[in-house]
Amino acid sequence: MKFARRNRIETVLLLISLASLLLGLAFYFLVRSEAAKVVWSAGALTILAALLAEIFGDLRRGEIGLDIVAALSMSAALTFGETLAAAVVAVMYSGGAFLESFAEGRARREMQDLLSRVPRAATRHRDGELEDVPLEEIIPGDRLLVRQGDVVPVDGTIASALAFLDTSALTGESMPARLTMGSEAMSGSTNAAEAFYLTATRRAEESTYAGIIRLVDQAQRSKAPMSRLADRWSLGFLAITVALALAAWWFTEDPIRAVAVLVVATPCPLILAVPVALVAGVSRAAHFGVLIKGAKPLEMMARIRTLVLDKTGTLTDGRPRIISIDSYSDMPKDEILRLAAALDQASKHPVAQTIVTAAKQRGLTLPIPSDVEEIPGDGIVGTIDGRSVIVGDDDFVMQRLRQKTNGHSNLAAGSTLVAVAVDGRLTGCLIMADPLREGAAVVLNALRCEGITRIVLATGDRIEVAERITQGLGFDGLYAGLTPDQKVLTVLTERKNGPVMMVGDGINDAPALAAADVGVAMGVRGAAAAAEAADVILLVDRIDQLGAGLEIARRSRRIALESVGAGIGFSVLGMLAAAFGYLTPVEGAGLQEAIDVAVILNALRALHIQPYMAATAGQGSSHGLSQQTAA
């Protein structure tokens, strides 16, 4: 609401200034000069009043900016009767303020998606009946029914024999968690299997999910807003302008020369060039699937030196995949996969659905299973083409075969084994894991080429999983087993090395994204909380697009600086000419407009940036880690 209101105000002020300038010119050419002066004065006074209100607000906050120069030039022009010059300055200033407001208006959003995911009610079992009650009425000890696909409303313990919870948004673990009776369940996780009962242990406002929302809110409010790029030169430029104007007046005793100096000095190259270049960069980045929420995050991106990466859904795909198929008999691997997938068609378990998808991607024909019996969380048995098939974890399958468990002690950390038995014999197994994205090493090296000097991994996964995944990638630091608040602490700790960018996709990443100088969310499958807390969203589910975004940010900022340097240089030359009497206030305003057009055209070059990484995106697939691909 705040940004929308400001944008409306800036739009109205721009329309008023333009209308007064054009209407005054119409009166002037109709030889009604007095009416023209009145109209120009009215428009300039309106803009000046709004400008003074903003300046006083900044001063109360202890800030000082180049708006003071614009206010001085308009005030001096109106005082000494140079109303046309005042009107031109008013248009220049209101136009710059409008562009800046437009950029800032896209910088933040309310966390509507995050809040909409919070359950509003729960199904409580009481006196032999089920009733839907508001979340606020849940108290510890209540017995709740959590249906398939529901979000766990409060923290509690499993009251059924078994439950499968998708906790990827909370812990970063890509594989669903298998919980037995008495196990603790976190609010915010999703029921990935059959309905189960939960005994509440905390009230809603004390639960994990509510705490994460509070962390996001606190981190966003604690992050100081970035000052405008233009204001960094404000005090020096202001001092030079006032000194030169007073000197011209003092030595010539002509106040009009001081007015001319102030008009030429109106810092529209700073006010206009910066937001134009940065907003153009924002637009260009969106073309490559990098949504940057305004000019401020883009400028900060250009100064990032440290990158903190989450693992699940960022460095990895976030979805378990079959990485190998082992055969213990003469049965072909594709036949093992076909039989397992055919039986798994009868299961809703996420791992079963992954196996079915993998078989279909290989073009395998899957017959309809019969005589199916599923033991939730353990495995499934049934008949395929007249053959008895058992699919499940190693213990389940070997118990059905009445044999000892193989153990598979060499199974890599973070991997899952799915055993397959056919006609009473163990025929093979499917090894599943959440592998690295193809070309991950190439992408990280490319990011270093874009000026990133330090890359660290911060994950909720176990240390052994994180070490296996990052082997050979050259990370500068590794933090594992982190909770959401520990990820925030990691980001804050890394700030000692320079501005920090955090990349993540889960709800557990949202607080750290909000705390970072720039938060980047994987927006295709990432949690809504992460998308709302982040400053940047990768619309294309490829982390290599981040390199393109960084390159666009750095080149856009460089173009903005070039525009500012050239604009201020010409403005200083114009100020000197005005001080020596070679420019009148109106001529000075005209010169300043010409400078504005030049710097804006230069700033618009950001719309045509062609990032190198965008041209080479996809080449990383040829450098993918072959050992991570499916057998």
Side-chain angles (χ1 to χ4, degrees), residues 52-245:
L52 289 174
E54 184 171 346
I55 290 172
F56 288 138
D58 290 342
L59 291 175
R60 282 197 300 269
R61 293 189 295 271
E63 300 173 2
I64 184 169
L66 287 166
D67 295 340
I68 294 177
V69 180
L72 285 174
S73 63
M74 277 191 280
S75 300
L78 288 171
T79 300
F80 296 103
E82 298 291 337
T83 54
L84 175 56
V88 173
V89 173
V91 170
M92 290 190 294
Y93 174 78
S94 59
F98 172 79
L99 287 172
E100 185 179 28
S101 177
F102 175 78
E104 289 184 352
R106 297 178 55 188
R108 287 192 181 188
R109 297 178 186 174
E110 296 297 326
M111 296 190 303
Q112 294 176 350
D113 289 341
L114 173 61
L115 297 177
S116 66
R117 191 178 184 274
V118 179
R120 304 298 179 186
T123 302
R124 183 167 60 189
H125 184 277
R126 176 175 289 182
D127 299 329
E129 296 182 354
L130 294 175
E131 56 179 352
D132 290 332
V133 296
L135 213 59
E136 296 77 15
E137 295 185 13
I138 301 299
I139 61 174
D142 280 348
R143 185 180 175 87
L144 308 176
L145 177 66
V146 183
R147 299 181 177 88
Q148 184 174 8
D150 284 352
V151 176
V152 176
V154 296
D155 290 349
T157 56
I158 304 298
S160 298
L162 195 66
F164 263 89
L165 293 181
D166 179 1
T167 63
S168 58
L170 294 172
T171 65
E173 290 282 359
S174 58
M175 304 296 290
R178 179 179 184 271
L179 303 180
T180 57
M181 183 177 292
S183 300
E184 294 185 359
M186 290 186 292
S187 59
S189 52
T190 303
N191 183 8
E194 303 300 324
F196 66 89
Y197 281 103
L198 178 82
T199 300
T201 56
R202 294 179 182 173
R203 295 182 180 272
E205 65 269 17
E206 301 169 349
S207 292
T208 302
Y209 195 68
I212 289 176
I213 294 175
R214 285 194 297 271
L215 280 171
V216 173
D217 181 59
Q218 291 169 3
Q220 282 186 325
R221 286 190 283 108
S222 66
K223 184 167 62 175
M226 187 176 64
S227 61
R228 292 185 308 177
L229 179 64
D231 289 341
R232 295 173 191 167
W233 294 278
S234 59
L235 291 176
F237 190 79
L238 176 61
I240 292 172
T241 299
V242 173
L244 188 56

Side-chain angles (χ1 to χ4, degrees), residues 250-433:
W250 175 269
F251 288 108
T252 65
E253 298 183 354
D254 183 3
I256 301 303
R257 291 202 184 184
V259 174
V261 170
L262 291 173
V263 169
V264 176
T266 301
C268 288
L270 287 173
I271 296 174
L272 290 174
V274 172
V276 167
L278 299 185
V279 170
V282 169
S283 175
R284 189 59 174 165
H287 179 74
F288 293 98
V290 183
L291 178 60
I292 304 173
K293 298 181 181 179
K296 289 181 180 179
L298 182 132
E299 187 200 358
M300 182 57 75
M301 281 181 71
R303 301 192 288 123
I304 291 298
R305 292 295 177 266
T306 299
L307 177 64
V308 178
L309 286 172
D310 177 48
K311 181 184 75 67
T312 305
T314 303
L315 196 61
T316 67
D317 282 327
R319 295 172 292 186
R321 287 194 297 159
I322 298 174
I323 60 172
S324 68
I325 302 176
D326 295 339
S327 178
Y328 304 144
S329 63
D330 57 358
M331 182 177 290
K333 295 180 179 180
D334 274 1
E335 180 64 10
I336 295 173
L337 175 61
R338 186 184 76 88
L339 293 174
L343 182 57
D344 274 338
Q345 291 177 106
S347 173
K348 293 183 179 180
H349 193 282
V351 172
Q353 294 303 305
T354 298
I355 294 173
V356 172
T357 300
K360 289 180 177 179
Q361 288 176 344
R362 296 194 182 195
L364 303 179
T365 302
L366 306 181
I368 304 299
S370 59
D371 303 324
V372 175
E373 176 190 0
E374 182 174 8
I375 290 78
D378 288 327
I380 186 171
V381 299
T383 302
I384 305 295
D385 291 339
R387 308 183 73 175
S388 174
V389 179
I390 308 172
V391 179
D393 64 42
D394 197 34
D395 289 339
F396 172 77
V397 173
M398 299 308 288
Q399 286 175 7
R400 286 280 174 153
L401 296 178
R402 297 183 179 179
Q403 298 178 17
K404 291 184 178 181
T405 303
N406 289 334
H408 295 280
S409 58
N410 60 341
L411 189 65
S415 299
T416 298
L417 181 144
V418 178
V420 182
V422 180
D423 293 334
R425 290 182 56 201
L426 183 64
T427 56
C429 69
L430 312 177
I431 307 299
M432 305 186 70

